[in-house]
Amino acid sequence: MLLSSLSTLMGAILVPSDYLWLYSTHITFLCLYLMYTKRVLVLFLTFISLLSVVLSEVEDELTILLSQEDAYFISVEDKQILLLSALPKEGPVSLAKQVKVIFQRLPDQQSIRSNFVEFNDFRLLQASQIPPHFNKVELVRYALADKEGPWWLKNLYIQRQAAQLVFNVQGEWLKQLPMGGRHEVLKRLDESFHTFESWRFSKALLLGADDLWSQRDTWIVRTLGLAHLFVVSGLHTGFMAVIGFVLARVIWWLLPAKLLLVGLTRWQLECVLVVPLLMLYGFMTDWGEPVVRASIMLSVYLISRVLMVKLSAFQVIGFTLWLVLFVNPRSILSPGLWLSFSMVYLLIGFYPITQWQWRRMISTQVMLSTASMVLILGWQDAISIVSIAVNLLMIPFTASLWFPIGMIACLESLIFQTQFVYCFLDWGLVYVIGLLEWVAFECPLLNFNVITSSIPKLLLLLWLLFWVFQTPLKRGGIALGIIWMSLFSNSLFIEPKADMVLRNHQGKLVLEKGEEQWINDWVQSSAGLELNNLLTSNTNKVSIRMVPDKVDRLSPSTLLKMNPDWLILAHNDEYLDNVILSALSINWLNIDHSEMLSFYFRDDGISLKHSQCRYSFFLFKSDTCKRAEKLESVLN
């Protein structure tokens, strides 16, 4: 029944504009078929789905071009932006009904936190007279929504925002903006718990706010595969629902027997408690899309139980998907929607297969971790080899201790202004976080294979589906092995062979490409060896030279004549590096004894890997690693 409605909603957005005639033909035949078979309910759902699409796709485009030279005035209370116009008008003229606005501090007033604030659904108008309560702001840049454009412009289209305007404002004015009740709650919690070392992780876990994280924290969480714990999602909604079910059971035990005779059931009590609790949690997490989707799923399930309507898990998920798309058909373009519903469908199809409890838990976590790796392939470079084991320990710990006790601590702080519960929780979390940091840095990493084509990714998805539905049989295990080999074969068995290697052997630079070899002491010219001709993908024509064996040949006059962009050096020379090369604005990269720099020629550019660079985040990168990364950037 829902397939026809889903096809109506999804097709309207996904079908290219050149093939809309095919979509309209499909809708016409579908409606004729439903009328012929007298399926009135399905026809009604299809009709309202089509109506939702028509209303959603009413274009809200800017009718004029904006300029930074124009004068802009804004009122946050009225959610309006006025563009001053010299043309006489009777009243303001609407240019766009929904615009995303970002206020950022002036460059000389930047602070560690709260440098910008963003709002949606502002109205942009053109007016010749400005009311006194409007404030003048400076436009820095703007972007227009584009369905076919880059991801940030496509995201504006999904959010139904015609444009994004960025304004520079005074820091004091930024602090006075009305931020709403959620911001006030977060501010009070920060004031109460800022002295606790673990609060930065607890804040992300409980409320989805990772503004206290450093790059180091982000790298640890992603490398261990724990990002789903610290980005508010359906998992957290499930945690909150479990708390609601436990409260409902306790209240059920305490209720007098007379209420049972009236006809009150435990299902009704659970629905009355859990649904408002989910709505409250949605407000606290700023109505994140994953929380809204999971809340709708649980609410549909609870309400169907109260109404004695028997629905399968797939029917609940299908109705939730239809409802989400009915409210906003453009969300079909959101990767988060595909990821969320894909994981839920896989979980429902996989979970009932195994019977033994511990085996079910382990196999389910293996499935979820593997599925997430396939779905996000290309978004992350490496993952810890103990990621699955860490998840098997952290998810039960979070569900049974960290999340519920953290919520109780937040309530205690907001109501009684004390921190006794969180003080106890922080004592244990310090050891847990320290252990996670040790595991992240000490355990080996598995580097994902580089897959640039969409066809291998599609095949991996098909293998994933085959494995999920064939798990009880041996061929399911074979499919799992193929998936893992496809993802990590280079890390597990095959060392990826570089197309070109530059190594330091006993103080001499040795360049190897295929069967050819060059050594810097063979170079008689004082200019060194030019590497440009060896880089097949150097589209930017960056001049890179391997210095000769005797560095004293590199006089300032010689460097001025050959004018290189980069020099590859065999050892550190403080005077040459920091004085001469810096004065001449020449970049350099040192390859010390026993180190090497590998070049990988890809279809989309050149990839560099320095032997001493392991970690992929800025905090732990040495000066050499930063320079290698910069060289890779300019080559591409």
Side-chain angles (χ1 to χ4, degrees):
M1 181 177 70
L2 288 173
L3 290 178
S4 59
S5 302
L6 286 173
S7 66
T8 303
L9 292 167
M10 297 170 68
I13 306 298
L14 296 179
V15 172
S17 56
D18 295 338
Y19 294 92
L20 286 179
W21 61 271
L22 184 62
Y23 170 75
S24 59
T25 304
H26 161 74
I27 296 298
T28 302
F29 279 108
L30 176 63
C31 293
L32 290 174
Y33 170 76
L34 294 176
M35 287 188 288
Y36 175 76
T37 55
K38 299 180 181 179
R39 302 175 69 179
V40 180
L41 180 58
V42 182
L43 180 62
F44 173 73
L45 291 177
T46 304
F47 174 75
I48 62 174
S49 300
L50 187 60
L51 182 63
S52 171
V53 168
V54 173
L55 296 176
S56 171
E57 292 308 294
V58 174
E59 295 295 336
D60 182 26
E61 297 182 351
L62 287 177
T63 56
I64 65 170
L65 294 177
L66 301 180
S67 172
Q68 296 180 355
E69 306 300 327
D70 295 330
Y72 297 87
F73 298 82
I74 200 157
S75 171
V76 179
E77 294 79 8
D78 299 337
K79 300 200 75 170
Q80 290 184 355
I81 308 167
L82 296 184
L83 171 59
L84 185 61
S85 172
L87 298 177
K89 299 287 183 180
E90 294 182 358
V93 178
S94 178
L95 301 178
K97 295 180 180 179
Q98 291 178 302
V99 172
K100 184 174 184 177
V101 177
I102 298 179
F103 300 113
Q104 66 179 21
R105 292 176 183 266
L106 294 171
D108 58 344
Q109 298 179 2
Q110 296 288 312
S111 62
I112 298 177
R113 296 175 55 193
S114 302
N115 284 322
F116 69 92
V117 177
E118 60 182 46
F119 296 92
N120 285 343
D121 301 328
F122 267 62
R123 189 175 183 183
L124 179 62
L125 305 106
Q126 190 176 29
S128 57
Q129 295 181 351
I130 307 299
H133 64 282
F134 277 70
N135 296 290
K136 187 175 182 179
V137 289
E138 174 192 355
L139 179 66
V140 180
R141 59 186 179 274
Y142 74 95
L144 303 180
D146 186 358
K147 178 182 176 181
E148 307 297 335
W151 66 267
W152 59 89
L153 301 182
K154 184 181 293 185
N155 197 43
L156 291 175
Y157 171 81
I158 296 172
Q159 297 176 356
R160 310 169 74 91
Q161 306 297 307
Q164 174 178 289
L165 308 181
V166 181
F167 297 103
N168 272 343
V169 296
Q170 295 289 337
E172 293 300 323
W173 187 81
L174 192 65
K175 294 179 181 179
Q176 298 173 3
L177 291 177
M179 301 301 298
R182 178 179 183 269
H183 178 77
E184 293 300 323
V185 171
L186 292 178
K187 184 178 178 180
R188 289 181 58 184
L189 292 176
D190 280 336
E191 293 174 353
S192 299
F193 299 137
H194 72 278
T195 57
F196 294 101
E197 184 179 350
S198 65
W199 172 240
R200 66 187 191 278
F201 289 100
S202 295
K203 185 180 180 182
L205 173 72
L206 302 173
L207 304 170
D210 59 356
D211 54 309
L212 302 180
W213 280 13
S214 63
Q215 287 185 321
R216 182 176 186 271
D217 298 331
T218 303
W219 183 85
I220 291 171
V221 169
R222 290 181 178 177
T223 300
L224 293 177
L226 296 176
H228 59 95
L229 280 181
F230 298 97
V231 177
V232 174
S233 61
L235 182 66
H236 301 74
T237 310
F239 292 162
M240 184 60 70
V242 169
I243 294 175
F245 286 131
V246 172
L247 289 175
R249 178 162 295 187
V250 172
I251 294 175
W252 180 257
W253 287 340
L254 299 177
L255 283 177
K258 293 181 180 181
L259 290 178
L260 303 181
L261 300 176
V262 178
L264 179 66
T265 65
R266 198 173 76 184
W267 286 357
Q268 294 172 343
L269 180 61
E270 288 175 348
C271 185
V272 170
L273 282 178
V274 174
V275 173
L277 200 60
L278 295 178
M279 295 180 65
L280 177 62
Y281 188 64
F283 166 76
M284 291 299 301
T285 55
D286 201 20
W287 301 107
E289 291 184 5
V291 175
V292 172
R293 290 193 288 261
S295 300
I296 293 175
M297 294 180 194
L298 288 169
S299 300
V300 170
Y301 167 71
L302 293 172
I303 294 173
S304 66
R305 285 202 314 175
V306 172
L307 298 177
M308 301 295 180
V309 178
K310 187 177 181 180
L311 295 176
S312 67
F314 285 106
Q315 288 175 321
V316 172
I317 304 305
F319 179 76
T320 303
L321 178 58
W322 175 81
L323 192 59
V324 170
L325 294 179
F326 176 76
V327 175
N328 182 15
R330 297 181 179 185
S331 60
I332 192 64
L333 298 175
S334 173
L337 181 135
W338 289 94
L339 184 61
S340 296
F341 281 97
S342 299
M343 296 295 287
V344 173
Y345 273 116
L346 289 173
L347 182 61
I348 293 174
F350 184 87
Y351 190 74
I353 293 174
T354 52
Q355 299 299 326
W356 182 40
Q357 184 177 4
W358 285 102
R359 181 184 174 187
R360 172 183 294 183
M361 182 183 297
I362 295 173
S363 59
T364 301
Q365 185 56 54
V366 171
M367 187 277 296
L368 291 175
S369 297
T370 305
S372 63
M373 292 174 190
V374 173
L375 291 171
I376 66 172
L377 184 61
W379 294 1
Q380 191 168 329
D381 294 330
I383 195 167
S384 176
I385 197 171
V386 295
S387 171
I388 294 177
V390 171
N391 273 276
L392 283 172
L393 296 175
M394 285 302 299
I395 291 178
F397 170 75
T398 303
S400 58
L401 295 174
W402 195 348
F403 191 87
I405 296 178
M407 281 295 177
I408 294 173
C410 291
L411 287 176
E412 177 204 10
S413 175
L414 294 173
I415 297 174
F416 303 106
Q417 286 79 47
T418 56
Q419 298 89 32
F420 297 112
V421 175
Y422 196 83
C423 184
F424 165 75
L425 179 63
D426 178 75
W427 175 81
L429 290 180
V430 169
Y431 294 101
V432 173
I433 294 171
L435 180 61
L436 291 177
E437 292 177 347
W438 182 85
V439 169
F441 289 111
E442 297 300 326
C443 292
L445 302 181
L446 292 175
N447 294 305
F448 286 101
N449 293 346
V450 178
I451 300 178
T452 57
S453 174
S454 58
I455 295 178
K457 295 180 182 179
L458 179 60
L459 292 176
L460 279 176
L461 289 174
L462 294 177
W463 274 114
L464 178 64
L465 293 174
F466 179 81
W467 166 51
V468 168
F469 292 103
Q470 298 292 325
T471 295
L473 306 176
K474 291 183 179 179
R475 55 177 173 261
I478 296 175
L480 176 62
I482 293 175
I483 294 172
W484 276 74
M485 282 289 295
S486 302
L487 291 174
F488 302 113
S489 59
N490 287 347
S491 297
L492 294 174
F493 305 104
I494 306 170
E495 182 67 24
K497 186 176 180 181
D499 297 284
M500 189 170 76
V501 177
L502 186 58
R503 69 177 77 249
N504 187 320
H505 179 68
Q506 297 180 353
K508 299 179 181 180
L509 290 178
V510 180
L511 179 64
E512 301 172 352
K513 184 180 181 182
E515 297 181 355
E516 298 180 282
Q517 189 178 78
W518 296 266
I519 303 178
N520 65 341
D521 64 350
W522 297 351
V523 180
Q524 300 299 324
S525 170
S526 61
L529 177 65
E530 178 71 51
L531 304 184
N532 287 44
N533 297 329
L534 302 176
L535 301 177
T536 58
S537 302
N538 185 9
T539 58
N540 290 337
K541 304 300 180 185
V542 180
S543 175
I544 307 174
R545 289 184 176 273
M546 183 173 69
V547 300
D549 185 32
K550 297 181 179 180
V551 183
D552 54 6
R553 297 181 185 177
L554 291 177
S555 63
S557 59
T558 303
L559 292 172
L560 285 172
K561 289 179 182 178
M562 62 182 186
N563 191 27
D565 296 308
W566 282 80
L567 289 180
I568 309 297
L569 307 175
H571 55 81
N572 289 318
D573 188 316
E574 186 175 352
Y575 178 74
L576 175 66
D577 296 352
N578 298 331
V579 179
I580 298 179
L581 297 183
S582 296
L584 297 175
S585 299
I586 298 175
N587 294 286
W588 70 90
L589 176 63
N590 290 308
I591 302 179
D592 292 332
H593 182 64
S594 300
E595 295 180 357
M596 66 178 181
L597 180 68
S598 302
F599 295 76
Y600 300 87
F601 301 147
R602 310 297 184 196
D603 294 336
D604 56 347
I606 301 176
S607 176
L608 298 185
K609 185 177 180 181
H610 197 282
S611 58
Q612 297 301 311
C613 303
R614 174 188 177 189
Y615 302 114
S616 58
F617 68 100
F618 187 79
L619 189 62
F620 279 136
K621 286 178 182 173
S622 63
D623 181 70
T624 300
C625 296
K626 296 175 189 177
R627 293 183 180 278
E629 209 170 67
K630 183 179 179 181
L631 176 59
E632 181 185 69
S633 176
V634 298
L635 284 176
N636 294 292

